[in-house]
Amino acid sequence: MPSSVETLEFQAETRQLLRLVIHSIYSNKDIFLRELISNASDALDKLRLESLTGSLAGVDISDLHILLEVDSDARTLTVRDNGIGMTRDDLVELIGTIAKSGTAGLLEKIKESKDAATTESLIGQFGVGFYSAFMVADKVTVHTRRAGTDSGTQWESDGEGSYTIRAADDLPVGTSVTLHLKPADSEDGLADYLSESKIRQIVKRYSDFIRWPIRMATDRTDADDKATSDLDTLNSMKALWARPRSEVTEHEYNEFYQQISHDWLPPAETIHMRAEGTFEYEALLFIPSQAPFDLYSRESKSGVQLYVKRVFIMDDCEALMPNYLRFVKGVVDAHDLSLNVSRELLQHDRQIQGVRRRLVKKVLGALKDMQAKDAERYAKVWAQFGRALKEGLLEDTDNTEALLELVSAASTHDPAKTTTLREYVERMKDGQNTIYYLTGETRAMVENSPHMEAFAAKGYEVLILTDPIDEVWVDQVPAFDGHRLQSIAKGQVDLDESADGDKENDADKAQREQDFAALLPWLTTTLSDHVKQVRLSSRLTTSAACIVGDAHDVTPTLEKMYRAMGQQMPTVKRILELNPTHPLITALRTAHHADAEAPALKEIAELIYGSALLAEGGDLPDPARFTRLLTDHLTRTL
């Protein structure tokens, strides 16, 4: 006698949600196979666990696998596993409904949303798994038998209003899901899912690291032109991150890195970690040896892939790695996430944020260890990625100290080698509490700057910062290890060292201020269109003048950068400092004392200002006028 057939109705809200899934909510229909293979893998995991610890002890688990079967004539694709299987009640409970609670609220949000991507992420919150099969199939048939039972069950539905359930005899333990495929339709995103190459492509992308073999019969022709059919294993099952580090060779790490990064150089560093507890995950990260060509382009993406229980979820998962570490390549395999988790949800998931914090500390710690143990290798890594790491000083306040420890910069201490801030501090002169630096376009320009003169004469080390981002981060970071960072081109600088000569120095300063008491205000008025103050300098030894900013002024280079980005910037007037011992300045003081109204004095003042501007690499406000004045004065001296 044929077994009786039960026809059950989907819940009204479930029907609505299912209809949304079927009608192309997901832009990538390939994920149906990922979902079905993942379900099959879970069934195999459960059977293995039950055979070891539960009521099914002794069940044969010697050949657990997933089998894909294609029937071109019937246009069916079957995903079969010999896992734990389901009972009739399991089918109703697990497949008969999509969401136990909250479905009404979800549907309301979907109705309010006009953005398909947002709608997809909302559905992702509830996990549609099995039902994604209806995106590519007109009908789905499930045959299943629970391990430890004698009878099986058949479930079938066209994804509309109802499904049928009936008893089925002579079924093996496990589950088979048969999809009666819709015709291929490129406009609707429906590929030919009967194609062997398409199936291999999907398995390779999403399920390559599933721990169980995924097999498929492949037709071949032998040397005698006889048709044969062999079972091929489609996935590699080589999830290196799931194996202990002691069992993975360096060659395997390098091979995997090349596979995910498309970089044929070995990585500079490999980080293999496992976290257990309330949120379990494994991570395998790589620090490359060289920067990709697009590292500093707007289109550059994070290099970390997200897996859930070895199932591929997404490339460039920004939620797992901050932008300044976008060069890090690798995978993170989380155990407790939904396969349908969206990027939006990841950004706000507390557990993912915790994973991100631990990954960042692990990467920065690995770089610190490399810096301490292999300075030469670290120098090469810093040369490739230092500029990106310094972006972290603007973005990641939680790790400022760790990032400052990694900063490596050129300095006046050694023309051939860079130095760390820690090394700079260790070389500080007695009584020095400030880390001095100067920014500029090139090392040569910085070294030849008038601002350097007094520091070089008195043996103070100065950091030479030439990356554009250096103009920004030095203003955001107040100090390192209790030592203030100060630009030698900003604010007042006092390099007097002698404690015994303080009175004499004070007396000398007072005398100089008195000698220049008339000239300085006159110059400030004369050059008022360009500077806000003219004062005497303690940072010059050979140059006549230099231009400095107040402690909190925007530097000229940073001002140019903002304007190049289209941002309106107010003109910042700076300060002209004069060397009171320079012959030109003393001659100007004498001439001004003799005749303050002499027309040539204003021209000399303009030439002094223009020369100081050129010395720091600035742009003259009126190059033609400066050239004419210089030519006229040179002519009169001949």
Side-chain angles (χ1 to χ4, degrees), residues 70 72 102 197 244-245 306 314 380 536 540 543 547 589 600 620:
V70 173
S72 298
S197 61
R245 180 159 193 159
L306 175 64
M314 68 179 72
K380 293 177 180 178
L536 298 180
L540 297 174
S543 296
I547 298 176
R589 183 195 67 191
L620 293 169

Side-chain angles (χ1 to χ4, degrees), residues 4 56 94 125 150 157 233 270 304 325 327 340 367 379 403 448 457 471 474 484 497 525 543 557 561 600:
S4 59
L56 300 177
L94 300 176
Q125 295 178 44
D150 296 326
S157 176
T233 299
T270 299
V304 176
L325 292 179
F327 57 86
N340 296 308
L367 288 169
L403 286 163
N448 294 321
E471 298 282 351
V474 289
R484 184 169 60 92
E497 301 176 65
T525 302
S543 296
T557 303
M561 289 169 55

Side-chain angles (χ1 to χ4, degrees), residues 223-298:
D224 299 326
D225 290 333
K226 291 182 179 179
T228 62
S229 181
D230 297 322
L231 277 180
D232 281 356
T233 299
L234 307 185
N235 59 324
S236 70
M237 297 176 284
K238 293 182 179 179
L240 297 188
W241 60 82
R243 292 160 53 187
R245 180 159 193 159
S246 59
E247 297 179 6
V248 185
T249 66
E250 184 178 357
H251 175 74
E252 287 178 306
Y253 279 134
N254 291 348
E255 190 177 56
F256 181 71
Y257 167 72
Q258 291 171 354
Q259 177 186 338
I260 64 173
S261 68
H262 309 294
D263 179 7
W264 298 109
L265 290 176
E269 186 65 38
T270 299
I271 302 168
H272 193 164
M273 59 184 291
R274 178 192 301 269
E276 298 178 345
T278 56
F279 189 80
E280 296 186 5
Y281 65 92
E282 292 106 14
L284 180 54
L285 306 177
F286 301 94
I287 300 173
S289 300
Q290 67 178 8
F293 71 92
D294 63 345
L295 180 62
Y296 298 107
S297 72
R298 291 184 178 180

Side-chain angles (χ1 to χ4, degrees), residues 43 202 223 226 237 247 340 346 386 429 499 513 526 543 567 610:
I202 297 173
K226 291 182 179 179
M237 297 176 284
E247 297 179 6
N340 296 308
L346 288 174
K429 297 169 72 71
E513 293 292 341
T526 302
S543 296
Q567 296 189 30

Side-chain angles (χ1 to χ4, degrees), residues 331-359:
V331 300
V332 173
D333 189 355
H335 294 192
D336 304 307
L337 288 176
S338 163
L339 291 184
N340 296 308
V341 69
S342 68
R343 292 182 186 273
E344 181 183 2
L345 288 174
L346 288 174
Q347 294 289 349
H348 301 94
D349 187 283
R350 287 186 178 181
Q351 292 176 317
I352 288 295
Q353 293 303 309
V355 173
R356 173 186 172 119
R357 286 191 294 270
R358 288 189 285 273
L359 293 179

